[in-house]
Amino acid sequence: MGTLAALEYHLTSYRRTWRSTVFSSFALPAMFLIAMGVTVGSYVDARPGGGLGVPYLDYIGPGLLASTALQVAVGESTWPVFSAFNWIRSYHAMRATPLTTGAIMRGHLLYLALRTALAAVAFLLVLLPFGALHSWWALAAPLPAVLVGLAFGAPTFGFAAAVDSDGYFAVLFRLVVVPMSLFAGVFFPVESLPAPARALAYASPLWHGVELCRAATLGTPTAWGVWAHTAVLLAWIAAGYALALRGFTHRLED
């Protein structure tokens, strides 16, 4: 019950701001698909022996879906968490009630999962008129998208709880988020990367989410198998949950 009470706080806040997310949920994905999938994709598709097996738009569409989940998770697990500790101190206000530290954290993580799911469903609706959905399994694509969001959001909760300045988020973006978005199979197969970079891509949660989303929308097998990719994402979530709980406990109870 405590987790649901914490979730209710975030949903109540979202009721006042949801209109600002409509543009980013529909218009931005559509423009990006046109810019990359249609415009750049026409050059990629014109090359003989492209090797993707599908039109470039159909290839990057599910990758962008997973990447969007990552971006939503980043947005919900950095400044909102930091401000709840340091600026508006809403976590401290919650802790003054019967809510436990774990319930406070889980409520926010559950809100992150819901925001990620909504963004993933919106992206699927954008992909539909482009003809990029080739399987009924596409309906399941929001599930790996949510796993990607939690796999990145949970450890970032712990990071946001530990830092004493929001300036550290710039480091997180430059050294983790941007490289992961560029080199985790969203825009091109990771097999074309050098071995060290390919190993980092395999270790990242985004690549596993991209593989699952692409398999769902195209109706094709994944590189490692569905359960292997899911297991890696669940391992990231479990480790991130433990890290986040430790950080929240330190800030709210020590």
Side-chain angles (χ1 to χ4, degrees):
M1 294 298 295
T3 299
L4 295 179
L7 171 64
E8 183 181 5
Y9 163 79
H10 296 288
L11 291 177
T12 301
S13 299
Y14 187 59
R15 286 178 56 187
R16 297 192 292 268
T17 61
W18 67 269
R19 294 175 182 81
S20 64
T21 66
V22 174
F23 178 79
S24 61
S25 297
F26 291 97
L28 290 181
M31 290 189 292
F32 205 87
L33 283 171
I34 293 172
M36 293 296 296
V38 177
T39 306
V40 176
S42 63
Y43 294 99
V44 176
D45 295 337
R47 295 180 59 188
L52 296 177
V54 295
Y56 189 62
L57 186 147
D58 297 3
Y59 181 83
I60 69 167
L64 291 173
L65 189 156
S67 181
T68 297
L70 174 70
Q71 298 298 330
V72 171
V74 170
E76 288 297 333
S77 59
T78 48
W79 281 280
V81 174
F82 184 84
S83 66
F85 278 121
N86 299 280
W87 297 335
I88 61 175
R89 298 178 68 83
S90 57
Y91 286 153
H92 294 82
M94 291 182 189
R95 190 64 186 92
T97 71
L99 290 179
T100 65
T101 297
I104 294 169
M105 186 196 71
R106 287 190 296 271
H108 200 164
L109 276 176
L110 186 55
Y111 171 72
L112 181 150
L114 291 174
R115 285 277 290 112
T116 304
L118 290 174
V121 171
F123 205 105
L124 277 182
L125 294 176
V126 173
L127 286 175
L128 185 60
F130 285 94
L133 305 181
H134 299 272
S135 170
W136 285 104
W137 282 108
L139 296 174
L143 296 178
V146 169
L147 291 180
V148 170
L150 290 173
F152 191 83
T156 308
F157 267 41
F159 179 76
V163 298
D164 56 6
S165 169
D166 64 328
Y168 287 100
F169 296 145
V171 178
L172 179 69
F173 274 82
R174 292 171 184 170
L175 298 184
V176 180
V177 177
V178 173
M180 189 186 304
S181 300
L182 294 176
F183 303 111
V186 175
F187 301 103
F188 54 86
V190 299
E191 289 76 16
S192 60
L193 294 171
R198 190 162 62 248
L200 291 175
Y202 291 156
S204 73
L206 181 57
W207 179 72
H208 298 278
V210 169
E211 282 291 310
L212 291 172
C213 289
R214 188 166 287 142
T217 60
L218 298 180
T220 57
T222 67
W224 291 5
V226 171
W227 294 113
H229 294 298
T230 303
V232 173
L233 290 173
L234 291 176
W236 270 96
I237 294 171
Y241 180 91
L243 180 66
L245 185 59
R246 179 180 178 182
F248 272 57
T249 300
H250 174 71
R251 293 295 301 272
L252 296 178
E253 298 184 12
D254 289 354

